[in-house]
Amino acid sequence: RDFNERCAQCSEVNWGLTDGGRFYCRSCHNVTERTREVVNTDFITNSRVQTVSKGLRKQEKNDAGCEWYICEGFQLVLKKQAEAIEALGVCPQMKDEILCNFWRCYLQKSKQAYCKRPAGETVKALSVCESSTDVDSDPERPSLLHLLSLSESEGDLQTDCSFASSVSKVSDSTSVYSGSVDGSLYLMKNQKEKLRMTMPMTLSFCYMALLWLREPITLSELLRFVVEGHIPYLNVFQHFPEKMKLCGLDLRIFCVESWPVYEEVFNKMHELAAFLDLPRFPDITDSCFLHPDMLCMKYLMEANLPDELHNWTCRVVKKIGIGEVDFLTLTPGNKSTRKVKYDVLAAAVIVVVLKLLFLLDDHYEWLLSEFAEERNKNNTEGGPYFEFKKWYEVVKQSLDVEQKKLDEERAKYLWRCEKPLFYSVKNKSKVLKRRQMVVNLQNQFGKLSGSVRRAEKPNPSSFQLSWSEENTDGTCFHGHSLKGVLQEKCGLLTAMNPDYWLCTVKLCNEKLCGHLAHYREVEFPQSYHFVLGLFSFLLRIQPSYIHDEVCMIEHKLFNKKLYKKLKYNTVLRK
Amino acid sequence: SSHEHKINFRKSKEACLSYIQDALLQKQWKRAAEFLTCYVESLEKDYSREHIGPSEMIWRIGTEILWHHSQSSMKEFNCFMEQMKTLGVKRYLKVCLEHVFHLLCNGQIDEAYQNLSLAESWRFGEQTAIQDKEMKLIEAYRGLLDYCSWSKQKSILLEHGEDGFSDLAVEQEMHRYFRKAAVNLKEIIKIPGVWDVFVKCYVDLLEFYGDHNEARQVLNEYAYNSKFPANPNAHVYLYQFLKRQGESKKSLISALKILHDIVPSHELMIDFNTMLQKSKKRKKRRLGLEVIFAALDYAGWKENVKAWSCLARQVKQIVTSEKYVDWIKQEWNSRKDWWPAFHFSRYLAKRNWQENKSLSYEKALVAGIVLGKDCKYFKYVSHQGCKAQLKRFRMLKKFVNRHNPVYLRISG
């Protein structure tokens, strides 16, 4: 009553008096040594503290917050993201015109705004319905509790037991636990129908806008910038204005605890483009950054490969027609054309070229390398011959270092932010206590860490690995010559390597199993795995995605030969 | 599927934990602290389905780091422990107990006592009953510290007594501590377990106040009650008590017999053999021989002069009396394949002679009897001994030569 100290055991302030005049905690029955007299003297000096805390309590009650809809929240998120992307150097058109219009179009098509009957209006009617038991009998609409137990791959927000139990009592009240007006309705909507907005989808919107403007940012780069913190994603909601109270079901919508996956964002973007009935996107021509010729040049540089390889990538691109405008440009809703992953495609082209020139069967490439090494000893004029072995050693070393750094960073991600999240008001004090403890512990152990955690994130850069020609230690291979692996035949430069092995003889049906091929490391040569690994690191995607594209390219490249062959050989002669 | 590789909170924290584990194993406390700082936000997630939740992880890992980290102080450590106590009510007493252990390791007896008292008064609904075992331990350790205080008071009293002062206040304090200690110590040793330190202290108290019956009962329970885990120390304590009480050889021997069965290499085997050798009963003397041979099977006894002298004495006695030579034969039977290389090699003969002449003397006697006067060990040692003109070695040589037929009986 008068005693305001926190209990040593359970930190509650809930005191009673024993017969002996001692204070005991009503929550955990901890008996203290403090007797009434002692406290009284303290009380007098602390009376000011009491009135102040009373004052705060009053304030809380008036702090009602405003009504807000989920789509408003997403609008804020998109705005923040667009601002960040603009800060990266993208033209302001993206934010002010393109993205804006896409979003409006979306709102209109999904009937959340800009139309005659916005979906929000039906919310109140639904809440009344929920109080009756008819809801459960409706097989189409999942019950609230069922929703809560759905395990999306996102995380365990729904496993908070106290939340589940508190919501089960909700059926009597008219307001479902969410800070927003339509939080519960949002989650109950049938996903397939109206393309419900999610956090990963915000990135789909961004990417779509970037693609429309043909900005020089690939999807893998965009996602990397998100993870590196240059584009808000995790915990964006902390920038919502004070009045927009976020709690309950809102958390399921806005608080994600996983990084979005390339495929997810990519596929959603295409769905979105079709949903919005967008016309054919602006043409991707050979002067665009996203054109394979351009991207190949970038990736060749980053992979520390000789510039001369670019001729070869262009040849492959031309031969299989993936540099054509119609192939590269997105036409939403056209189901016959394969959706183009520009970055993955370019990487795969390079892999195919390496296979063409070096075979990469864990044997031939090393032989060629030895051969080149020999010739390099006598080579006095011009640039050195490219030696696969040297390249491998240099790149592997750097890659290992960077990969190790990346793995450690991933283990050190901080997912939570200062803004506390509670499912319900009951939950609030517990959440705040926990947060305080976390902060205390972070301070305590942070001091013992030895190193100062970097205060700012490093500047966003397009290149993760860089190699300078000015280094005299010979670690830059850009200027190296491919003469060691080429020969002249009838005035044309062809590869000395006469063989090629196909990654897969038969492609899977992508629509059925989601992939063109299934990559298993043990079934392929180490060199091939290494090369896949290199681009997998640069693009931050699984090697199997690149492998899929490689298979696709190979099948286009050797199309005729494949149809001719009746037997299935794994090695074909060119 | 693509979602297997998705990096999410859980996976990220799992990876974090494995980095912490690596750092701990390599005693890289700074690095462990660095990763722990990133791990602690797991507290804000619900892990009720997991076997070990983040709060327990953080408690255990944090304790290790703070205990070993060079820049961490006891104050920080204590502060951390207090926080951990509030984290999980189901573990409250366990955390208290471990905190107390750390305080004791750090010599902070008073703080440990305070914490124990505080923990003793803790009540939390049904948890109190669930954590009954931990509570008993807490009470037991408090009893132990009370015993320490009692012990201190006792020393003061004895000092004053020497100086001629009688200190009533000290005496009263001492009795008070005795009462407090006795109550808790008695309780814990009722529960089956390994309570060596508690038993020793309790018996000490009982003996001081003259309650020998209770002491004997406690020790018997501890040693013979099958519900208690097999514990050689229990028998040692019982034996020591009986010895102090001046009990008969018979009861002393029966106490040590079990010890011989459980731990044939125990250091008390020498006492045991000495007692058995002197016995009038043939069976006991036979057991004595078995006991000393068994002890010397262990590498730790190889250079123990006392043990060898026991064996030598008994062998000499048997040989001289010409009775029960069979006993030696029986014991030697299972050892004749490996004892020669184990104890009686030429290398050992040289080394024993150089390092410890008494040892070589005793061993030579045994070797001479079981392996004959022509064995490497005996030949070398007796030769060296005679060369050095040491009387006892000359006597030894004579003795073994005279009794060579015994060797023939043993080996044949």
Side-chain angles (χ1 to χ4, degrees):
Chain A
R1 291 170 284 163
D2 305 327
F3 188 21
N4 280 335
E5 252 192 20
R6 287 193 179 282
C7 167
Q9 245 84 279
C10 66
S11 308
E12 295 288 323
V13 184
N14 189 8
W15 300 102
L17 271 180
T18 64
D19 292 340
R22 289 218 175 101
F23 282 86
Y24 77 95
C25 173
R26 283 207 194 94
S27 315
C28 69
H29 306 286
N30 171 36
V31 181
T32 70
E33 298 292 306
R34 301 287 292 273
T35 55
R36 216 169 160 210
E37 290 96 40
V38 176
V39 170
N40 271 338
T41 51
D42 281 348
F43 169 60
I44 294 166
T45 54
N46 281 339
S47 56
R48 194 176 138 67
V49 172
Q50 264 233 312
T51 45
V52 169
S53 61
K54 266 197 190 139
L56 279 172
R57 249 177 264 142
K58 265 195 199 149
Q59 216 176 344
E60 266 179 351
K61 281 178 189 162
N62 293 336
D63 204 19
C66 69
E67 277 192 351
W68 60 278
Y69 289 83
I70 295 290
C71 57
E72 286 179 71
F74 276 117
Q75 191 162 309
L76 272 170
V77 170
L78 281 173
K79 182 158 171 276
K80 283 270 167 223
Q81 289 173 336
E83 281 167 7
I85 294 175
E86 201 183 311
L88 288 174
V90 168
C91 65
Q93 239 189 325
M94 188 236 163
K95 171 174 144 241
D96 299 328
E97 287 179 33
I98 311 297
L99 192 59
C100 228
N101 286 330
F102 281 160
W103 177 242
R104 281 192 203 122
C105 185
Y106 168 77
L107 288 175
Q108 196 170 38
K109 291 251 185 236
S110 59
K111 298 193 175 22
Q112 288 176 75
Y114 302 106
C115 55
K116 283 189 182 162
R117 239 177 309 163
E121 261 184 17
T122 54
V123 170
K124 281 178 196 147
L126 259 176
S127 333
V128 170
C129 278
E130 276 174 314
S131 60
S132 73
T133 50
D134 292 338
V135 175
D136 291 327
S137 61
D138 183 346
E140 300 256 309
R141 202 188 302 131
S143 72
L144 204 56
L145 279 177
H146 174 63
L147 262 181
L148 294 170
S149 59
L150 277 175
S151 53
E152 286 184 13
S153 48
E154 303 235 317
D156 307 301
L157 288 171
Q158 74 281 13
T159 60
D160 188 320
C161 307
S162 60
F163 179 31
S165 59
S166 62
V167 170
S168 62
K169 295 173 201 156
V170 150
S171 50
D172 295 321
S173 67
T174 48
S175 67
V176 190
Y177 273 146
S178 67
S180 63
V181 175
D182 58 341
S184 59
L185 170 67
Y186 211 81
L187 285 173
M188 285 200 271
K189 260 198 277 192
N190 192 336
Q191 287 194 46
K192 297 267 159 86
E193 258 176 29
K194 288 174 184 171
L195 207 64
R196 196 182 78 191
M197 188 67 180
T198 60
M199 278 305 286
M201 232 163 95
T202 60
L203 296 176
S204 301
F205 267 97
C206 292
Y207 178 57
M208 200 164 68
L210 289 169
L211 184 58
W212 185 272
L213 289 168
R214 299 173 293 181
E215 288 285 341
I217 298 185
T218 59
L219 179 55
S220 53
E221 261 181 325
L222 179 71
L223 294 176
R224 181 164 61 86
F225 290 149
V226 168
V227 170
E228 287 175 0
H230 306 297
I231 298 175
Y233 181 75
L234 216 56
N235 304 329
V236 196
F237 53 82
Q238 60 185 327
H239 301 297
F240 286 2
E242 265 299 304
K243 286 195 176 166
M244 276 172 77
K245 295 285 173 204
L246 201 78
C247 65
L249 289 169
D250 304 330
L251 300 182
R252 279 212 73 196
I253 299 167
F254 290 105
C255 303
V256 281
E257 282 179 350
S258 58
W259 295 116
V261 166
Y262 186 106
E263 281 239 313
E264 198 184 342
V265 177
F266 181 79
N267 290 335
K268 263 291 187 270
M269 188 216 90
H270 288 274
E271 263 185 71
L272 195 56
F275 179 72
L276 300 180
D277 276 330
L278 294 178
R280 179 177 156 122
F281 273 49
D283 286 347
I284 308 274
T285 60
D286 51 16
S287 57
C288 284
F289 178 79
L290 294 174
H291 192 276
D293 288 342
M294 297 286 259
L295 279 178
C296 279
M297 183 140 65
K298 176 181 188 252
Y299 293 146
L300 283 170
M301 272 180 74
E302 209 168 354
N304 201 10
L305 287 166
D307 299 337
E308 279 182 35
L309 281 172
H310 191 242
N311 300 331
W312 288 85
T313 61
C314 291
R315 278 171 75 176
V316 169
V317 166
K318 188 148 183 221
K319 179 118 202 238
I320 59 178
I322 58 173
E324 300 300 310
V325 172
D326 291 333
F327 175 82
L328 292 170
T329 310
L330 173 61
T331 310
N334 184 346
K335 291 193 182 153
S336 57
T337 55
R338 190 162 186 272
K339 304 184 192 110
V340 182
K341 295 174 182 154
Y342 305 98
D343 33 20
V344 186
L345 184 65
V349 168
I350 298 177
V351 172
V352 170
V353 165
L354 288 174
K355 277 176 80 179
L356 282 169
L357 297 180
F358 298 96
L359 189 56
L360 295 186
D361 65 344
D362 281 346
H363 196 64
Y364 191 75
E365 65 272 21
W366 305 110
L367 277 177
L368 275 183
S369 185
E370 271 170 33
F371 190 50
E373 195 185 352
E374 276 304 307
R375 285 169 78 175
N376 265 335
K377 282 182 189 157
N378 305 326
N379 187 18
T380 45
E381 22 129 314
Y385 295 121
F386 176 74
E387 288 175 50
F388 187 86
K389 180 163 177 253
K390 279 218 180 95
W391 173 81
Y392 174 84
E393 282 167 0
V394 168
V395 172
K396 182 162 172 38
Q397 191 175 32
S398 294
L399 187 61
D400 285 346
V401 167
E402 294 300 315
Q403 184 70 55
K404 189 163 173 251
K405 262 196 240 164
L406 180 64
D407 290 338
E408 279 195 20
E409 264 172 44
R410 281 177 175 161
K412 287 201 223 166
Y413 281 149
L414 286 179
W415 300 82
R416 295 281 170 153
C417 64
E418 276 311 310
K419 183 157 178 171
L421 310 167
F422 2 92
Y423 292 102
S424 59
V425 179
K426 259 170 68 177
N427 212 260
K428 188 172 178 178
S429 61
K430 184 177 170 198
V431 168
L432 286 173
K433 247 189 278 168
R434 276 287 157 114
R435 183 74 210 157
Q436 188 56 48
M437 172 155 315
V438 168
V439 170
N440 286 343
L441 289 172
Q442 281 174 338
N443 285 335
Q444 185 170 26
F445 288 101
K447 279 193 218 127
L448 295 175
S449 295
S451 60
V452 178
R453 224 176 136 69
R454 54 168 198 272
E456 293 163 24
K457 355 173 232 263
N459 286 333
S461 71
S462 195
F463 284 84
Q464 298 173 71
L465 300 172
S466 62
W467 317 91
S468 172
E469 298 230 8
E470 283 149 18
N471 282 350
T472 48
D473 53 4
T475 53
C476 179
F477 294 84
H478 296 153
H480 286 216
S481 157
L482 290 176
K483 269 195 258 171
V485 302
L486 300 173
Q487 63 195 357
E488 249 196 71
K489 256 190 192 170
C490 319
L492 276 175
L493 273 178
T494 55
M496 273 167 65
N497 169 35
D499 296 329
Y500 194 91
W501 55 271
L502 286 178
C503 286
T504 176
V505 176
K506 192 161 182 229
L507 292 178
C508 276
N509 186 338
E510 203 169 19
K511 292 202 172 83
L512 286 178
C513 71
H515 291 279
L516 285 175
H518 299 274
Y519 177 67
R520 280 176 57 210
E521 185 186 335
V522 293
E523 291 169 3
F524 292 92
Q526 287 290 298
S527 298
Y528 178 70
H529 179 67
F530 174 74
V531 167
L532 278 190
L534 172 59
F535 289 106
S536 166
F537 170 79
L538 291 175
L539 301 181
R540 300 280 198 274
I541 56 176
Q542 289 301 306
S544 50
Y545 292 154
I546 308 177
H547 179 75
D548 272 5
E549 294 294 299
V550 169
C551 292
M552 185 270 289
I553 293 171
E554 285 177 349
H555 274 250
K556 279 195 167 61
L557 198 56
F558 298 106
N559 200 1
K560 292 193 197 120
K561 292 218 168 69
L562 278 170
Y563 277 121
K564 269 191 204 166
K565 282 274 173 192
L566 292 168
K567 268 196 212 162
Y568 286 95
N569 288 329
T570 46
V571 177
L572 302 175
R573 297 220 158 250
K574 278 192 284 220
Chain B
S1 79
S2 62
H3 295 293
E4 277 164 21
H5 304 284
K6 206 167 180 175
I7 299 172
N8 60 14
F9 188 100
R10 178 152 285 175
K11 291 220 179 85
S12 165
K13 293 310 172 201
E14 266 171 31
C16 194
L17 267 183
S18 75
Y19 278 101
I20 296 177
Q21 185 180 38
D22 282 343
L24 287 176
L25 287 171
Q26 294 175 52
K27 303 199 200 287
Q28 293 170 331
W29 310 113
K30 285 202 180 122
R31 192 167 151 86
E34 192 184 336
F35 281 93
L36 186 61
T37 312
C38 304
Y39 180 75
V40 294
E41 57 173 16
S42 302
L43 283 177
E44 295 181 277
K45 291 271 288 176
D46 176 45
Y47 277 73
S48 53
R49 274 180 288 176
E50 303 278 324
H51 181 53
I52 298 181
S55 50
E56 185 165 353
M57 283 290 190
I58 291 170
W59 165 47
R60 294 212 179 272
I61 295 171
T63 305
E64 278 311 294
I65 294 176
L66 287 171
W67 190 246
H68 291 109
H69 198 289
S70 50
Q71 284 165 26
S72 155
S73 66
M74 209 51 203
K75 188 170 159 223
E76 268 198 59
F77 186 84
N78 290 335
C79 175
F80 173 74
M81 288 310 237
E82 293 305 324
Q83 283 186 75
M84 292 299 105
K85 285 175 193 171
T86 65
L87 254 190
V89 73
K90 287 185 190 157
R91 263 195 318 277
Y92 179 76
L93 288 180
K94 219 191 267 186
V95 178
C96 284
L97 199 55
E98 299 228 357
H99 186 198
V100 162
F101 291 157
H102 281 102
L103 289 169
L104 288 174
C105 286
N106 203 42
Q108 292 175 281
I109 315 276
D110 292 332
E111 282 86 350
Y113 195 85
Q114 273 169 30
N115 272 290
L116 284 169
S117 303
L118 198 67
E120 256 185 296
S121 63
W122 181 76
R123 300 281 177 274
F124 201 100
E126 62 176 20
Q127 279 299 317
T128 323
I130 294 173
Q131 296 185 43
D132 175 59
K133 286 202 181 105
E134 286 86 346
M135 187 55 99
K136 282 255 164 13
L137 276 173
I138 286 177
E139 287 164 351
Y141 276 97
R142 193 175 66 74
L144 189 64
L145 293 183
D146 283 328
Y147 168 84
C148 292
S149 305
W150 171 84
S151 206
K152 235 194 277 176
Q153 300 299 100
K154 188 179 83 166
S155 318
I156 297 175
L157 202 65
L158 291 173
E159 261 178 45
H160 288 191
E162 279 173 20
D163 297 339
F165 296 119
S166 77
D167 202 329
L168 199 63
V170 171
E171 209 179 308
Q172 278 182 345
E173 270 294 285
M174 196 182 92
H175 294 322
R176 196 169 72 88
Y177 280 124
F178 158 70
R179 278 191 292 275
K180 286 172 80 172
V183 161
N184 284 341
L185 291 175
K186 183 170 180 176
E187 277 306 302
I188 191 80
I189 59 185
K190 276 190 201 158
I191 308 171
V194 179
W195 309 122
D196 286 357
V197 84
F198 299 136
V199 166
K200 273 179 95 168
C201 297
Y202 188 48
V203 167
D204 189 26
L205 288 172
L206 289 170
E207 281 196 83
F208 183 84
Y209 285 94
D211 195 348
H212 303 293
N213 282 331
E214 176 73 8
R216 178 173 304 140
Q217 201 174 356
V218 162
L219 287 169
N220 272 317
E221 264 292 291
Y222 194 52
Y224 296 122
N225 186 340
S226 55
K227 286 198 194 131
F228 281 71
N231 183 356
N233 292 335
H235 301 277
V236 174
Y237 299 153
L238 179 60
Y239 167 76
Q240 288 167 341
F241 171 76
L242 294 172
K243 202 165 165 200
R244 284 196 295 272
Q245 295 293 302
E247 295 273 328
S248 68
K249 282 277 187 298
K250 190 171 170 203
S251 45
L252 289 178
I253 284 172
S254 77
L256 284 181
K257 172 83 174 59
I258 302 184
L259 188 60
H260 160 70
D261 289 337
I262 311 175
V263 190
S265 58
H266 199 278
E267 59 183 2
L268 282 175
M269 291 302 109
I270 291 183
D271 289 20
F272 194 32
N273 167 271
T274 310
M275 267 193 283
L276 289 168
Q277 269 194 50
K278 292 189 196 148
S279 170
K280 293 202 178 84
K281 300 234 172 91
R282 182 170 44 95
K283 265 196 186 162
K284 295 271 187 307
R285 292 200 303 276
R286 175 69 184 91
L287 178 63
L289 191 66
E290 188 187 314
V291 163
I292 194 67
F293 261 104
L296 284 167
D297 280 339
Y298 290 86
W301 290 82
K302 274 171 103 166
E303 314 208 326
N304 190 314
V305 183
K306 202 124 202 297
W308 282 106
S309 80
C310 282
L311 179 57
R313 188 182 339 127
Q314 196 161 11
V315 163
K316 189 171 182 185
Q317 193 268 324
I318 290 172
V319 164
T320 314
S321 72
E322 292 185 14
K323 273 202 232 164
Y324 312 120
V325 174
D326 278 346
W327 290 358
I328 302 180
K329 183 172 180 174
Q330 281 159 19
E331 289 301 323
W332 184 241
N333 223 4
S334 56
R335 293 176 169 91
K336 62 180 189 259
D337 293 326
W338 62 282
W339 264 45
F342 192 55
H343 287 304
F344 301 129
S345 66
R346 189 170 156 76
Y347 166 75
L348 279 171
K350 278 191 181 165
R351 212 179 85 184
N352 293 154
W353 174 255
Q354 270 172 2
E355 291 175 3
N356 192 338
K357 298 204 173 27
S358 299
L359 177 68
S360 61
Y361 172 81
E362 306 289 351
K363 282 179 74 174
L365 194 150
V366 177
I369 296 299
V370 296
L371 286 173
K373 63 182 169 61
D374 294 321
C375 80
K376 290 180 265 194
Y377 197 93
F378 178 77
K379 269 177 98 168
Y380 182 85
V381 170
S382 62
H383 176 73
Q384 293 292 323
C386 293
K387 210 166 72 169
Q389 296 189 341
L390 294 170
K391 182 173 177 198
R392 59 177 172 162
F393 284 91
R394 273 211 311 272
M395 306 285 286
L396 175 65
K397 194 167 184 181
K398 276 191 199 156
F399 178 82
V400 170
N401 280 328
R402 198 182 332 136
H403 291 282
N404 204 42
V406 173
Y407 156 65
L408 296 169
R409 272 176 69 185
I410 291 171
S411 61

